[in-house]
Amino acid sequence: MPRNATATRERLLRAAEHRFAREGVDGARLRDIVRDAGQANDAAVGYHFGSRQGLLDAIAIRHVA
């Protein structure tokens, strides 16, 4: 059975929000965000959001909506 990408995206978004709030956008490391989200693959942000900027955009959209 394939994994639910929606749940993974949600965990990454929440972890990124917390890291960015604590450490700032420039201070937060993607590796830490991925680990906080319970993912083992450092490429998880790239896979789900395309880039660090894509992750930031998703967070911004989430809070504007």
Side-chain angles (χ1 to χ4, degrees):
M1 175 183 237
R3 292 183 179 203
N4 184 347
T6 303
T8 300
R9 278 180 63 91
E10 179 61 28
R11 285 193 304 273
L12 286 165
L13 283 167
R14 278 188 277 132
E17 288 171 338
H18 290 172
R19 282 280 173 177
F20 291 149
R22 281 194 313 256
E23 300 171 10
V25 172
D26 292 328
R29 296 183 330 170
L30 291 181
R31 178 180 298 152
D32 293 333
I33 292 169
V34 169
R35 187 188 68 229
D36 292 350
Q39 299 301 299
N41 188 340
D42 285 344
V45 169
Y47 177 80
H48 289 281
F49 300 99
S51 65
R52 177 187 200 89
Q53 185 61 51
L55 177 58
L56 287 166
D57 292 345
I59 291 169
I61 289 168
R62 172 187 184 128
H63 288 280
V64 170

